[in-house]
Amino acid sequence: HVQLVESGGGSVQAGGSLRLSCAASGLTYSRNCMGWFRQAPGKEREWVAHIISDGRPVVADSLKGRFIISSDDAKNTVYLQMNSLKPEDTSVYYCAARWSRCSSDWRDWDDWGQGTQVTVS
């Protein structure tokens, strides 16, 4: 398994930016895909973006142009840069790892971080 620790959440005004980090440890070499999901109160967990082990990033269509996912393999860290934040982006953001092909369904993912709160007002 991979241990995942998110950081970088917080409160920001609408239009502002935040960068989330996800530090991975453990069997990091065996994971094929790293991703970000978010979950607002009373709503289902929603896929945000993922990055494949070869570095190809994929972002949800609704978030393209504002959110960017990237990785630093030397640091075993994945980032989510969030720009032009809106109140509707308020959620707990989770980092996840998957051994096989990337998926936008949160049920398919193998390991999860504890989540970090992002609040936009």
Side-chain angles (χ1 to χ4, degrees):
H1 287 281
V2 173
Q3 291 77 47
L4 304 170
V5 179
E6 302 100 332
S7 61
S11 297
V12 64
Q13 291 188 335
S17 298
L18 282 174
R19 188 177 81 156
L20 306 182
S21 299
C22 173
S25 60
L27 300 176
T28 56
Y29 63 87
S30 58
R31 56 96 179 128
N32 181 61
C33 194
M34 296 289 292
W36 287 97
F37 289 77
R38 66 184 184 182
Q39 188 167 20
K43 294 188 177 181
E44 189 170 4
R45 193 162 294 191
E46 174 190 18
W47 172 68
V48 173
H50 63 237
I51 189 162
I52 304 171
S53 57
D54 62 2
R56 283 178 288 164
V58 182
V59 178
D61 286 343
S62 62
L63 300 174
K64 283 180 181 176
R66 296 196 300 123
F67 286 22
I68 301 168
I69 186 171
S70 61
S71 65
D72 184 336
D73 288 346
K75 296 182 179 179
N76 285 326
T77 300
V78 175
Y79 304 98
L80 185 69
Q81 178 68 43
M82 305 185 294
N83 301 318
S84 302
L85 283 162
K86 305 175 182 179
E88 50 264 44
D89 294 318
T90 296
S91 285
V92 177
Y93 284 72
Y94 296 91
C95 178
R98 186 162 196 237
W99 311 131
S100 56
R101 193 170 57 183
C102 294
S103 169
S104 60
D105 187 337
W106 65 268
R107 299 169 188 85
D108 292 334
W109 292 69
D110 301 296
D111 295 294
W112 293 87
Q114 81 287 352
T116 185
Q117 177 70 46
V118 171
T119 303
V120 185
S121 59

